[in-house]
């Protein structure tokens, strides 16, 4: 019950931020609905396809797809409001990230998959929506460059899996993962924590060898 | 029978326009065949993967894949002709769009899915081929910006589903959807009908908040 | 046994070249692991999704995913070494290409699919990893423009399928495909063999018609 409520809040918030990205690319209403839905439910879709977990969530429950499309269209009306209250969205989005991660981990566990795959399912659910949004909008995928986003998802997946594995009661595990994950994410935003960056500067000759190398790969 | 014939005409026409896009990116023959096939049968492939509808159409009927590859290669020989007679292609492509939408809707109905998902299946079948083409060729995805394309697909899906639902005879429903959808699409091209565009102009400060917002999403 | 060993060498080499591409885009560790994994096991993943061949290889054997993530992170430490010994990587990558193609063809054959689809499975396994890498890193997809890469994969698939079909012993077929494919690939690199390129130069009026045409497609 709690997870479902939080999930609906999460996909609504993500759909609205997806719609903003579409608006910055001057897309029409169809584009807005597509990007909104890809951002909000794309992560779960990719996870289910990778795990062979059919039917997909939104195929079984089309109301989720309806929510993301409507939230996207609504955003075209109230964009200035969304931009002004962006702090609320950061909160909702962070909550959504943890909820998505928990749900992804849970589904993989219910399928009896190995620990690594359960955590990967958490990260894919949390992260691939934003990745799809940036691919469709042809932008630098933010999630690959900035802040602890995937890492928070990874941590939430590990914590949820570990605590359940050690026999704690499920509601307790869910709530503690939500609280700790949310605090961690907020701290990462506040203090701009980020992963180390791998940076290859191209000198002329190095660039050449790299090009050759990747070319042949 | 009618649908199969029209389907083959449709994928041939779309493969040829896909090959043109590849040629503008100076791709080699493999790239031409890949983009041609993605344009022509990518929409149906994405639909089947989303619905878990296996085996995919072209895996069960490899001749469709052979047709799109050959049509792509043929285009490299007769490109000037294709460009000159582009009005014929606009007609064939519009026909293809309606045929694809009907087939997509039909498959989802046969799987017993809900009305919304049947219409979504129609739109995905009609639209995602062009979206894949533009992603591979790294272009602005036209279908998210211009004219009534997805909307015509949406309309055709709704009409087909609705008329069948109200008990009309199938051949009659198919033909009327084809005729009405085709006329609608032609009118949309002729009169440049299009969906409203959602346009966020970036002022400096707004741009910043949006960036923050999407960053955190 | 032989194939498994070569497969592990192949995904390690491809993961490292994927990580280099991520480094040139200044991605963080998560981005490095994502691009490394997509490059190394993305081709097999796309193949399995297209064929409906579940569970995916790395879901059933998570150690392969662990290998690609670790190889990616390792590359951030020894990047100059990787760049210097790029000739070794070209060898390993060429070996990997043939191994991937053989495995892809084998899986499709075990599923009882038609010859064309078996060869397509070989090419998808060999080529789509690099295509995904270039899409995520937003680069011109090299595999669509340069050298015989997909063609070598196609040839290896045909040879493997054909020899098995004519009743030769499996180990013998595997080894001869490996040797011949590897030599062919090395020759293609050495002599810069490539497929013909389809090049449409945009004159003003032609560009317009093409735009109209693709627009409507």
């Amino acid at each position: 019950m709690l997870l479902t409520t939080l999930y609906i809040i999460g996909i609504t918030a993500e759909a609205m931020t997806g719609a903003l990205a579409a608006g910055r690319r001057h897309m029409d209403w169809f584009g807005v609905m597509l990007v909104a839905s890809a951002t909000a439910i794309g992560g779960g879709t990719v996870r289910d396809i990778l795990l062979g977990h059919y039917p997909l969530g939104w195929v079984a429950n089309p109301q989720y797809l309806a929510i993301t499309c409507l939230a996207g269209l609504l955003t075209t009306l109230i964009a200035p409001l969304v931009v002004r209250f962006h702090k609320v969205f950061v909160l909702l989005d962070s909550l959504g990230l943890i909820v998505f991660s928990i749900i992804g981990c849970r589904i993989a566990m219910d399928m009896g998959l190995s620990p690594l795959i359960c955590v990967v399912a958490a990260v894919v659910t949390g992260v691939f929506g934003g990745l799809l949004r940036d691919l469709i909008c042809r932008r630098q995928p933010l999630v690959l460059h900035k802040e602890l986003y995937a890492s928070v998802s990874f941590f939430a997946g590990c914590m949820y899996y570990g605590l359940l594995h050690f026999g704690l009661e499920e509601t307790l595990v869910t709530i503690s993962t939500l609280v700790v994950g949310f605090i961690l994410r907020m701290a990462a935003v506040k203090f701009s924590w980020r992963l180390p960056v791998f940076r290859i500067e191209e000198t002329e000759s190095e660039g050449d060898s790299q090009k050759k190398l990747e070319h042949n790969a």
Side-chain angles (χ1 to χ4, degrees), chain A residues 61-157:
Chain A
N61 299 289
Q63 64 273 25
Y64 294 147
L65 183 62
I67 289 173
T68 60
C69 287
L70 291 177
L73 288 182
L74 183 68
T75 308
T76 65
L77 300 176
I78 60 165
L81 225 65
V82 176
V83 173
R84 186 164 315 144
F85 291 104
H86 76 86
K87 284 189 184 167
V88 178
F89 279 81
V90 173
L91 293 181
L92 295 179
D93 169 69
S94 299
L95 207 60
L97 173 64
I98 314 297
V99 174
F100 288 7
S101 305
I102 289 176
I103 291 174
C105 190
R106 176 83 245 170
I107 285 175
M109 289 177 80
D110 288 345
M111 293 177 73
L113 297 171
S114 62
L116 177 60
I117 299 302
C118 292
V119 175
V120 167
V123 175
V124 167
T125 314
V127 163
F128 269 64
L131 194 59
L132 284 177
R133 176 196 63 205
D134 292 342
L135 283 177
I136 300 175
C137 293
R138 305 193 314 142
R139 310 191 310 176
Q140 190 87 324
L142 288 167
V143 70
L144 307 177
H145 294 267
K146 299 268 171 128
E147 271 182 30
L148 297 190
Y149 197 82
S151 312
V152 171
S153 185
F154 180 83
F155 173 84

Side-chain angles (χ1 to χ4, degrees), chain A residues 2 13 45 65 106 112 120 180 182 186:
Chain A
L2 175 69
T45 299
L65 183 62
R106 176 83 245 170
V120 167
V180 176
F182 184 75
M186 284 292 102

